[in-house]
Amino acid sequence: MKRTQKNIVTTLTLLTFSIISNGCVPKNADGTYHSAYSYHPYNTQQHTSVPRVLINRHPYQVQYLNTSYSNVSTADTIEQVAKSLLGTDYQYGANGPYQYDCSSFTKYVFAKNGITLPRVSKDQARVGQYVRASELQKGDLVFFDSKKSSEVSHVGIYLGRGNFIHASSAKDQVTISNLNSNYYSKHFKWGRRVTNMSYARR
């Protein structure tokens, strides 16, 4: 019995020494360690950066690169996620990932950046900071009425230089348009900035 206990103690001692010497996971050829988790104490490079999205037209195939906080702003990642959906079909009432309407598109893009928006455009038009046309910045929401009503009925995401990206019923897809075009210049209502609103983040 004493010999068995002694063997167990010896085995545990050797196992402990092995774990301390080699870490919990196998070592790579370059001296680093690979783990299924985002953090491992033996990794030479830790995940301390925000994800940068590579443009990819299929919403299930969005890829991420690690990019430092100083290089990529929330507005930049909003633009990248939005552009990854260019060409995706428009369908009124759709919630993705293969079809969107205008407000489910904006809701999805901002959710990917940690910002929760209401589902419909008229409610999205009430959140965040009011922004006039001359003060728009990349990442701002832009709202429009229609020929039928003066109420908010459409929303997109401002990209800069007068351009905005939106799920367009006229184009039947996610596309980029310009605020100075004949139609949108007449029906623009206002912008809303939610990227600096901490309450919108969940």
Side-chain angles (χ1 to χ4, degrees):
M1 187 67 174
K2 291 183 178 180
R3 176 174 293 181
T4 301
Q5 291 176 337
K6 185 177 181 180
N7 290 337
I8 292 173
V9 171
T10 302
T11 301
L12 290 175
T13 301
L14 290 173
L15 180 60
T16 302
F17 177 78
S18 176
I19 290 173
I20 293 173
S21 300
N22 300 318
C24 299
V25 291
K27 196 173 186 179
N28 298 327
D30 61 359
T32 62
Y33 291 83
H34 175 73
S35 171
Y37 299 96
S38 60
Y39 173 85
H40 190 280
Y42 299 104
N43 284 342
T44 56
Q45 294 182 346
Q46 303 299 342
H47 296 277
T48 57
S49 57
V50 294
R52 179 179 180 181
V53 181
L54 287 177
I55 294 176
N56 192 310
R57 293 187 60 173
H58 197 292
Y60 279 143
Q61 296 176 341
V62 174
Q63 302 173 58
Y64 295 88
L65 291 176
N66 287 329
T67 309
S68 66
Y69 285 103
S70 60
N71 292 336
V72 176
S73 68
T74 300
D76 289 330
T77 58
I78 286 172
E79 177 183 17
Q80 290 160 357
V81 173
K83 285 184 174 180
S84 76
L85 298 173
L86 278 169
T88 302
D89 290 343
Y90 172 92
Q91 177 61 54
Y92 179 78
N95 290 301
Y98 302 110
Q99 295 177 320
Y100 294 94
D101 64 14
C102 66
S103 54
S104 66
F105 169 71
T106 52
K107 181 176 176 63
Y108 173 84
V109 171
F110 279 81
K112 279 293 192 182
N113 287 272
I115 299 172
T116 301
L117 295 177
R119 172 60 180 85
V120 298
S121 58
K122 66 179 181 180
D123 293 331
Q124 292 181 9
R126 298 187 180 102
V127 301
Q129 174 187 349
Y130 173 88
V131 181
R132 64 186 65 184
S134 61
E135 298 172 343
L136 286 171
Q137 297 178 9
K138 184 196 293 184
D140 289 344
L141 293 166
V142 286
F143 296 93
F144 307 87
D145 60 20
S146 66
K147 294 178 180 178
K148 297 180 180 179
S149 172
S150 60
E151 294 184 356
V152 169
S153 58
H154 190 59
V155 60
I157 302 169
Y158 189 68
L159 300 177
R161 298 185 178 181
N163 296 319
F164 68 100
I165 187 169
H166 58 132
S168 168
S169 58
K171 299 291 186 180
D172 282 327
Q173 64 180 0
V174 175
T175 188
I176 294 175
S177 302
N178 194 279
L179 290 176
N180 296 318
S181 66
N182 185 49
Y183 178 86
Y184 290 111
S185 62
K186 291 179 180 178
H187 293 281
F188 176 79
K189 298 284 284 184
W190 58 74
R192 287 280 180 177
R193 186 167 300 147
V194 297
T195 52
N196 60 350
M197 306 298 288
S198 59
Y199 77 87
R201 298 181 180 273
R202 296 290 185 266

